[in-house]
Amino acid sequence: MEKELWKGNEAIAEAAIRAGCNCFFGYPITPQSEVPEYMSVHLPEAGGVFVQSESEVAAINMVYGAAGAGMRAMTSSSSPGISLKQEGISYLAGAELPCVIVNCMRGGPGLGTIQPSQGDYFQATRGGGNGDYRTVVLAPSNVQETVDFVQQAFDIADQYRNPVMVVCDGLIGQMMEPIEWHPVPKRNLPPKDWAACGRRDRDHHNVINSLYMDPEECDRHNLHLEEKYAQIQANETRWEAVHCDDAEIVITAYGTPARIALTALETLRAEGIKVGLFRPITLWPFPEKALHELAGAAHVRAFLDVEMSSSGQMLDDVRLAVEGQKPVHYLGHAGGVMPTVEEMVESVKRLEKEVK
């Protein structure tokens, strides 16, 4: 296929349209505003519905309504906007409604900065809303992956009746890169016979709900959700390992830092230093088993977790997966400052001396 030059945010919107998105509800916030801007023009041309809501809270509740009626619904925002959507995301997960949520992350906490960051890892993987629930979290490291993952996210959401979040830092949303429009393999999806879209010759009304007043019933519902999350963990966990077969030092990173780490690997390998990269692609489910097995390899001496976060957030999951088998060190910045190749090279060299 021929390559086309696309800006990240506009490619996200086009990918959603090509995936059959029926409805988009959103509100402008830097650095993701080009997503709703593109949608406002092109989604109606494709027969879909675009609404710029009065707030992020309104947007996520519109997603709830459209998803409940069986539509392929989507919203996008940047970090503080996603915070405002968290109650609605909890409702969506509790009511088992499929939808796609895109977060072009910016620095925080609070209003922070409009520069790229990865400070929303906890919010995405732990769930910022109330109760026990999970969202599938996909983390691309370039525009091509972002396009592919957004298209795949709709099928994943429909298969498991669950929200799927695509998280990319603001740099990916703002950069321009050549991409190819790959045909996305279609899944054998279940019918949406649960949707609240009229009786349609049924002998009952479909009711969309996340309220269970009986504690025993609520407990059973949570157990049902846990069974579903276990299926997702078994079927959807993704990661990439680069030069890990003989690596003595392994860098763990996702998104843009993982991309920067590839250049650091080239530099270090050219100097004879055996370093590898382990990149989680699904932040939830986190590839803990694969990372645990890598940590147990005799040739691995230590890990260096690299993030665009002040003190590390994925760092917790890395440590839990490594489970004390090898030391885990950290390199990171926040507020829009990105770790550099030079910093990674220096940190690995220093770490190599410490673990010899």
Side-chain angles (χ1 to χ4, degrees):
M1 288 186 173
E2 291 186 2
K3 291 185 179 292
E4 299 178 5
L5 187 63
W6 281 81
K7 186 172 186 175
N9 283 335
E10 294 177 347
I12 287 170
E14 178 63 24
I17 293 171
R18 295 189 182 212
C21 178
N22 306 114
C23 305
F24 179 94
F25 311 100
Y27 190 80
I29 179 174
T30 304
Q32 68 82 51
S33 292
E34 294 89 353
V35 178
E37 286 175 2
Y38 189 96
M39 280 290 198
S40 69
V41 176
H42 298 284
L43 184 57
E45 292 176 346
V49 174
F50 168 87
V51 177
Q52 179 174 312
S53 59
E54 64 270 32
S55 70
E56 286 87 353
V57 175
I60 198 66
N61 282 285
M62 291 176 184
V63 169
Y64 186 103
M71 298 294 103
R72 281 198 154 182
M74 174 183 171
T75 190
S76 68
S77 194
S78 292
S79 307
I82 296 294
S83 298
L84 291 167
K85 297 177 192 285
Q86 287 297 334
E87 181 186 38
I89 295 172
S90 174
Y91 282 15
L92 284 155
E96 295 191 87
L97 294 179
C99 67
V100 174
I101 304 156
V102 174
N103 182 5
C104 292
M105 296 180 286
R106 59 187 258 181
L111 288 176
T113 175
I114 63 172
Q115 304 303 320
S117 175
Q118 293 182 319
D120 298 350
Y121 184 93
F122 286 158
Q123 178 176 248
T125 61
R126 269 56 180 175
N130 60 293
D132 298 320
Y133 74 94
R134 293 287 193 177
T135 58
V136 180
V137 184
L138 299 169
S141 64
N142 54 53
V143 177
Q144 180 67 67
E145 282 192 342
T146 306
V147 164
D148 295 341
F149 292 175
V150 166
Q151 292 180 90
Q152 295 167 19
F154 283 94
D155 275 6
I156 295 171
D158 281 346
Q159 180 170 342
Y160 297 101
R161 288 184 58 185
N162 207 73
V164 176
M165 186 174 289
V166 179
V167 296
C168 56
D169 60 76
L171 180 65
I172 294 175
Q174 291 296 318
M175 70 168 57
M176 296 190 73
E177 284 192 317
I179 64 167
E180 294 180 354
W181 291 104
H182 301 131
V184 177
K186 294 299 179 183
R187 300 185 179 214
N188 185 20
L189 298 175
K192 293 187 176 182
D193 51 12
W194 46 263
C197 53
R199 292 188 64 156
R200 299 192 177 184
D201 298 324
R202 290 188 296 263
D203 60 0
H204 65 279
H205 295 290
N206 283 341
V207 177
I208 304 299
N209 183 42
S210 66
L211 177 65
Y212 297 90
M213 295 299 292
D214 182 342
E216 296 294 333
E217 186 180 10
C218 191
D219 183 41
R220 286 193 296 272
H221 180 60
N222 275 275
L223 290 174
H224 160 69
L225 293 178
E226 283 300 317
E227 291 174 358
K228 179 173 69 176
Y229 300 149
Q231 291 179 359
I232 295 172
Q233 287 177 299
N235 299 332
E236 304 297 339
T237 306
R238 306 182 191 181
W239 71 93
E240 180 187 29
V242 181
H243 297 315
C244 286
D245 291 342
D246 65 345
E248 297 180 353
I249 308 295
V250 176
I251 296 173
T252 55
Y254 72 96
T256 295
R259 182 175 179 154
I260 298 170
L262 292 174
T263 303
L265 258 63
E266 291 180 5
T267 302
L268 290 161
R269 285 268 170 179
E271 296 181 21
I273 298 173
K274 295 179 178 178
V275 60
L277 170 67
F278 185 90
R279 176 172 73 102
I281 294 173
T282 50
L283 303 186
W284 193 87
F286 189 79
E288 55 186 88
K289 181 179 179 182
L291 186 55
H292 181 82
E293 291 175 354
L294 179 60
H299 57 81
V300 175
R301 296 182 179 181
F303 290 86
L304 176 66
D305 183 54
V306 182
E307 299 178 46
M308 290 161 62
S309 175
S310 59
S311 57
Q313 295 189 14
M314 187 177 76
L315 179 63
D316 285 4
D317 282 334
V318 172
R319 285 174 171 162
L320 286 168
V322 170
E323 207 172 8
Q325 297 178 88
K326 304 290 165 60
V328 179
H329 298 257
Y330 182 70
L331 168 65
H333 296 289
V337 178
M338 286 178 283
T340 65
V341 172
E342 292 75 19
E343 285 179 310
M344 292 188 199
V345 168
E346 181 182 339
S347 296
V348 168
K349 287 181 177 179
R350 183 170 58 249
L351 186 54
E352 186 197 31
K353 292 177 182 177
E354 291 178 6
V355 298
K356 273 188 176 179

